[in-house]
Amino acid sequence: MIGKIGLIAGNGRFPIIFAQSARKKGIEVVAIGINEETSKELEKFVNKIYWLGVGELEKLLKILREENIRSVVMAGQVRHKLLFDKDIKIDQRMQFLLGNLRNKKTDSIIGAVARLLEFKGIKVLSSIIFLSDCLPKKGVLTKLLPDERVLKDIEFGRKIAKAIAGLDIGQSVVVKDKVVLAVESIEGTDEAIRRAVRYGKDGIVVIKVTKPRQDMRFDV
């Protein structure tokens, strides 16, 4: 039985939704917010919150140790491109971790952080552990059904999205009339969509897929 859980929070609403669900189950939530990413609104939904920079890995470990947290979840996007910003502080622990990676893809960085936490005796749980009611069912989720043109674009874009996901470049492509308008990379899905709108205007189709070996602990 989990009585207390650490929430390493990225951007968006996901961390808030997770915190609300966990607290409804009587679980104490200690959040670690990332200055460059996490909404201040999260403070209203957790028992306690700490703040740190995206490159302050040693501070993260210290917080978890002092709070005696044995289980954590990672919820919300963290734009790993921030680690390449010269104005972002990168501590020695993070520098060492990055320096020992074969590459600096998103999965490589987050996976290395997860392995470090596990090595320290902190279990990394699935971010959807309390959110089964929030997951969509298979099928159309909107009132508007896809027409023949959209279905053809979905089939066209899905193959491309699967290919880039397999290379860990991104998980989304945006197409229109079987023309690729944008391929997601380090900027993330939202920015890829905005870029596509500049070229395709209305009627664009966004296809997002899972990676071949997607880790549901921190990548939903």
Side-chain angles (χ1 to χ4, degrees), residues 75-91:
Q77 181 198 39
V78 176
R79 297 166 297 162
H80 87 277
K81 68 178 183 179
L82 291 170
L83 293 172
F84 307 106
D85 187 328
K86 293 180 180 179
D87 295 326
I88 298 294
K89 177 185 175 183
I90 307 294
D91 66 20

Side-chain angles (χ1 to χ4, degrees), residues 1-210:
M1 177 65 182
I2 301 171
K4 183 178 184 180
I5 196 166
L7 168 59
I8 302 172
N11 60 41
R13 297 288 301 174
F14 190 15
I16 292 173
I17 294 170
F18 176 87
Q20 289 175 313
S21 297
R23 292 191 69 186
K24 282 180 182 178
K25 297 181 184 299
I27 297 168
E28 180 183 353
V29 180
V30 177
I32 298 93
I34 298 171
N35 295 328
E36 300 86 359
E37 294 284 11
T38 312
S39 169
K40 300 295 183 184
E41 187 182 358
L42 180 61
E43 295 180 351
K44 297 185 292 186
F45 301 96
V46 297
N47 298 88
K48 188 184 294 186
I49 190 166
Y50 294 87
W51 293 94
L52 47 70
V54 69
E56 294 185 289
L57 185 55
E58 188 61 54
K59 186 175 180 180
L60 170 64
L61 296 174
K62 182 174 183 288
I63 292 167
L64 296 176
R65 182 172 62 250
E66 291 181 350
E67 284 287 344
N68 194 30
I69 291 172
R70 312 316 302 167
S71 299
V72 301
V73 298
M74 300 180 184
Q77 181 198 39
V78 176
R79 297 166 297 162
H80 87 277
K81 68 178 183 179
L82 291 170
L83 293 172
F84 307 106
D85 187 328
K86 293 180 180 179
D87 295 326
I88 298 294
K89 177 185 175 183
I90 307 294
D91 66 20
Q92 287 188 330
R93 173 79 74 164
M94 181 63 84
Q95 289 178 22
F96 181 80
L97 181 143
L98 293 173
N100 282 277
L101 295 176
R102 289 183 299 174
N103 59 65
K104 294 181 176 63
K105 296 178 181 178
T106 303
D107 280 3
S108 300
I109 296 172
I110 299 177
V113 172
R115 288 192 296 275
L116 175 61
L117 293 176
E118 297 270 4
F119 177 76
K120 295 291 185 179
I122 302 167
K123 188 171 181 59
V124 181
L125 304 176
S126 168
S127 58
I128 58 173
I129 186 171
F130 306 126
L131 302 175
S132 58
D133 293 342
C134 299
L135 299 179
K137 302 294 189 293
K138 182 179 180 180
V140 178
L141 304 177
T142 62
K143 294 180 180 179
L144 181 65
L145 295 174
D147 58 23
E148 185 177 354
R149 180 191 69 83
V150 171
L151 288 172
K152 287 180 179 179
D153 273 349
I154 291 172
E155 182 60 26
F156 170 76
R158 183 176 175 276
K159 295 174 183 176
I160 299 169
K162 280 291 186 183
I164 66 164
L167 296 171
D168 197 17
I169 295 171
Q171 294 172 249
S172 306
V173 296
V174 188
V175 305
K176 182 177 180 180
D177 296 329
K178 294 187 178 180
V179 174
V180 176
L181 301 174
V183 174
E184 178 196 3
S185 59
I186 196 171
E187 84 278 28
T189 305
D190 290 352
E191 288 302 320
I193 294 172
R194 292 187 183 99
R195 183 155 42 90
V197 169
R198 293 203 301 268
Y199 304 114
K201 309 302 180 186
D202 59 348
I204 64 172
V205 178
V206 181
I207 300 98
K208 184 161 189 172
V209 300
T210 57

